Amino acid sequence: MATNYGPVEIAGVIAVIGVLTYACRLSFIALFGRLDEIPPAVERVLRFVPAAVLAALVLPSFVTLDASSFAADKFVAGALAAGVAWQTEDVFATMVTGMGVLWAIRFLL
Amino acid sequence: MDTAAFRRGVRDVAPLLLGIIPFGLVAGIATVNAGLGLPAAVGLSVVVFAGASQLAALELLGQNAPLTVVVATAVVINLRLLMYSASIAPYFRDFTSRWKAVLAYVLTDQAYALSVASYRSDRETDRKWYYLGVAVTLWAVWQVTTIAGALLGTGVPDAWGLEFAIPLVFLAILVPAIEDAATGIAAVVGGVVAVVGAGLPLNLGLLVASGVGITAGVLTESVTGGTDGD
């Protein structure tokens, strides 16, 4: 799985993604300086952003509906890591549990 | 410069580095696997500086997908930064345009989550320097680990599943973000829709799931009358 694109095309893609990504980051930080106050409706919506987006990033890594790519080791490791995250709210403990369980299933069982 | 605030930021982000380091190594290794050299690895990490989108772009480049698809996928994944930008903007409004331009460049999931949590607690910490302590540390560690990953190359066996460290980091940040029933509903709905929509083209599943999850949270809050999460 190696790319056939040349260095110029690669550099171009990196530049375009970089500019658009920076535009996303800067957008409201630049804009809100010009507004007097943020509409309360916007604030109410923003409160739900981290929970919804992070969950959408996480869950498909642990569970998939596609039977051919379902990985039981990732499902079990993810579920146990979620339990540890819930109990401890500790990043290190969550990582150690998740990777530890994954490796235990893969290499020991 | 408020060194105390900067140091506090560095200290608060330190535990998260245990997740960032394998994440950066994976991103560097993925660069080599996709057939890109060290300059491209450095360019991607410095110019884009957003791990999930870097990994998605590399995967698609490795498959020789059309360049428009590569760009669209990476940008869709990074659209959540729009929402972080909006959420953190009120705390940055008094800074100069030049500082805003700098602070925006290092805005990431982790810098956003830690800083907003700190601003919402009533701690007397300098906002700019606390944020920079978190964000600049993440930036530096990310650059070093992606380069290290690119140099290590394919030496790390696939079976280690190092890329699994990435969702584990997001998971650890997700849990504290669930502060009440409404944010819980937003998370459950967002996660389930993302699983169902995983097959959508251009990674649109993430964007659709986020939108539906946020909507579910807002609706839940308006039905239950709303409890102040903080």
Side-chain angles (χ1 to χ4, degrees):
Chain A
M1 163 183 126
T3 190
N4 295 326
Y5 288 117
V8 177
E9 288 148 315
I10 302 281
V13 165
I14 292 172
V16 174
I17 295 173
V19 167
L20 293 173
T21 299
Y22 183 64
C24 289
R25 291 182 157 123
L26 186 61
S27 57
F28 286 94
I29 290 176
L31 180 73
F32 272 6
R34 297 164 208 278
L35 297 176
D36 271 345
E37 97 182 359
I38 304 104
V42 174
E43 270 191 338
R44 254 198 8 250
V45 170
L46 291 176
R47 191 165 87 79
F48 297 103
V49 170
V53 176
L54 289 170
L57 277 169
V58 167
L59 209 59
S61 306
F62 299 158
V63 192
T64 166
L65 299 180
D66 178 7
S68 64
S69 63
F70 178 78
D73 52 0
K74 289 186 179 176
F75 178 76
V76 173
L80 290 174
V84 169
W86 195 263
Q87 284 302 311
T88 65
E89 297 204 354
D90 183 86
V91 179
F92 184 62
T94 306
M95 300 268 315
V96 168
T97 305
M99 295 310 294
V101 172
L102 186 76
W103 289 341
I105 294 172
R106 283 190 180 179
F107 300 130
L108 300 179
L109 291 187
Chain B
M1 174 173 178
D2 185 334
T3 41
F6 187 87
R7 275 209 304 272
R8 187 171 294 174
V10 174
R11 203 172 54 218
D12 285 0
V13 79
L16 297 189
L17 297 180
L18 291 158
I20 300 302
I21 290 167
F23 191 172
L25 289 172
V26 167
I29 293 166
T31 317
V32 179
N33 284 340
L36 279 68
L38 190 60
V42 175
L44 198 56
S45 277
V46 173
V47 175
V48 178
F49 184 48
S53 70
Q54 287 179 222
L55 287 169
L58 289 169
E59 193 172 304
L60 291 170
L61 282 172
Q63 297 163 2
N64 291 302
L67 294 181
T68 47
V69 172
V70 178
V71 170
T73 303
V75 173
V76 164
I77 290 174
N78 288 339
L79 281 180
R80 72 190 188 287
L81 295 169
L82 268 176
M83 303 189 265
Y84 298 156
S85 182
S87 178
I88 209 166
Y91 301 105
F92 288 175
R93 64 189 314 167
D94 295 333
F95 302 148
T96 63
S97 299
R98 197 168 297 177
W99 270 118
K100 285 179 183 171
V102 172
L103 300 179
Y105 167 59
V106 286
L107 181 63
T108 54
D109 299 280
Q110 294 85 0
Y112 162 77
L114 280 179
S115 298
V116 168
S118 164
Y119 301 157
R120 281 185 183 167
S121 71
D122 292 323
R123 287 198 322 205
E124 290 289 322
T125 300
D126 183 272
R127 281 178 189 166
K128 190 198 308 172
W129 289 105
Y130 178 84
Y131 174 88
L132 284 171
V134 173
V136 171
T137 304
L138 287 166
W139 186 89
V141 170
W142 184 252
Q143 305 310 330
V144 170
T145 51
T146 50
I147 291 168
L151 293 174
L152 280 171
T154 46
V156 180
D158 254 8
W160 286 18
L162 223 52
E163 74 286 343
F164 195 63
I166 297 161
L168 292 173
V169 176
F170 290 138
L171 174 68
I173 304 172
L174 165 66
V175 168
I178 299 173
E179 0 178 79
D180 56 15
T183 44
I185 298 276
V188 170
V189 172
V192 169
V193 173
V195 170
V196 174
L200 287 175
L202 301 178
N203 275 310
L204 278 172
L206 175 66
L207 197 65
V208 171
S210 305
V212 176
I214 292 165
T215 308
V218 171
L219 289 177
T220 306
E221 193 177 55
S222 63
V223 167
T224 58
T227 50
D228 248 353
D230 47 358

